[in-house]
């Protein structure tokens, strides 16, 4: 069966910049590489390449991944681009079979709490930001940390929200 591929490079505005230890440059937009595959029967699947706007802690970036995925050489792509392509093909196969990804993985819980990511910022500002996110219904928060900005921020959040599903990202 033949599968056609459509690769798009999108640029979406960001609500706020996400400061991380590997890159503190403010971003007004987030580039995303989206992959859509379609078989002869019209069934389709979607995938997304997670590469960032520019190389930071990995050599892969969105423009480069887009170029790799659109040049026609299917073997010469980076791991993030390859994962996006595989995600699209997996989605296609699951849709053909009428199964969800959750069902194929044996996941029993039909939903997960909404999550948000918070970048590096002063502890007081971080605490207020987490308070705001929790108040608007976010049940999971991922906080960026770095050496010297790790224990204090996490303690401040846990003190205010001891039952919060908290994730810590040090890249």
């Amino acid at each position: 069966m033949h599968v056609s591929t459509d690769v798009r490079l999108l640029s979406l505005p960001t609500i706020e910049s996400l400061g991380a230890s590997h890159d503190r440059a403010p971003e007004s937009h987030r580039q995303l590489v989206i992959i859509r595959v379609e078989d002869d029967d019209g069934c389709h699947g979607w995938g997304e390449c997670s590469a960032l706007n520019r190389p930071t802690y990995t050599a892969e970036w969105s423009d480069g991944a887009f170029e790799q995925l659109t040049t026609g050489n299917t073997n010469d792509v980076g791991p993030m681009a390859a994962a996006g392509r595989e995600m699209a093909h997996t989605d296609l196969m699951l849709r053909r079979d009428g199964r969800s990804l959750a069902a194929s993985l044996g996941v029993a819980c039909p939903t997960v709490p909404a999550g948000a990511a918070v970048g590096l910022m002063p502890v007081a500002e971080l605490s207020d930001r987490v308070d705001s996110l929790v108040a608007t219904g976010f049940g999971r928060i991922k906080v960026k940390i770095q050496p010297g900005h790790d224990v204090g921020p996490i303690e401040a959040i846990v003190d205010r929200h001891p039952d919060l599903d908290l994730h810590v990202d040090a890249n």
Side-chain angles (χ1 to χ4, degrees):
M1 180 173 283
H2 177 264
V3 175
S4 64
T5 302
D6 182 28
V7 181
R8 301 287 172 110
L9 180 62
L10 307 179
S11 181
L12 303 174
T14 57
I15 294 172
E16 62 186 40
S17 186
L18 186 65
S21 60
H22 62 81
D23 186 12
R24 289 256 187 115
E27 295 285 350
S28 61
H29 69 286
R30 171 72 161 95
Q31 289 185 199
L32 298 169
V33 178
I34 305 297
I35 302 114
R36 182 181 190 273
V37 294
E38 184 173 338
D39 66 15
D40 292 332
D41 296 329
C43 190
H44 64 275
W46 295 90
E48 175 187 345
C49 172
S50 62
L52 298 174
N53 291 12
R54 62 186 172 280
T56 56
Y57 66 92
T58 176
E60 231 173 323
W61 77 102
S62 53
D63 283 325
F66 176 75
E67 184 177 324
Q68 289 177 335
L69 288 165
T70 57
T71 58
N73 184 348
T74 59
N75 295 322
D76 189 26
V77 297
M80 292 179 185
R85 185 179 57 208
E86 183 164 333
M87 187 187 313
H89 285 275
T90 299
D91 187 38
L92 171 63
M93 290 185 301
L94 289 169
R95 287 175 189 258
R96 278 187 199 151
D97 295 343
R99 294 185 312 145
S100 70
L101 178 60
S104 73
L105 295 173
V107 175
C109 183
T111 62
V112 295
V118 180
L120 295 170
M121 60 185 72
V123 175
E125 186 180 340
L126 174 68
S127 296
D128 291 344
R129 181 72 180 121
V130 171
D131 289 347
S132 174
L133 291 166
V134 169
T136 58
F138 288 93
R140 293 179 304 115
I141 306 291
K142 177 176 79 170
V143 179
K144 297 283 191 175
I145 63 168
Q146 67 181 9
H149 187 80
D150 44 21
V151 176
I154 300 309
E155 285 178 342
I157 294 168
V158 171
D159 285 348
R160 290 165 93 153
H161 303 282
D163 298 324
L164 179 65
D165 187 358
L166 185 61
H167 303 249
V168 179
D169 182 356
N171 288 88

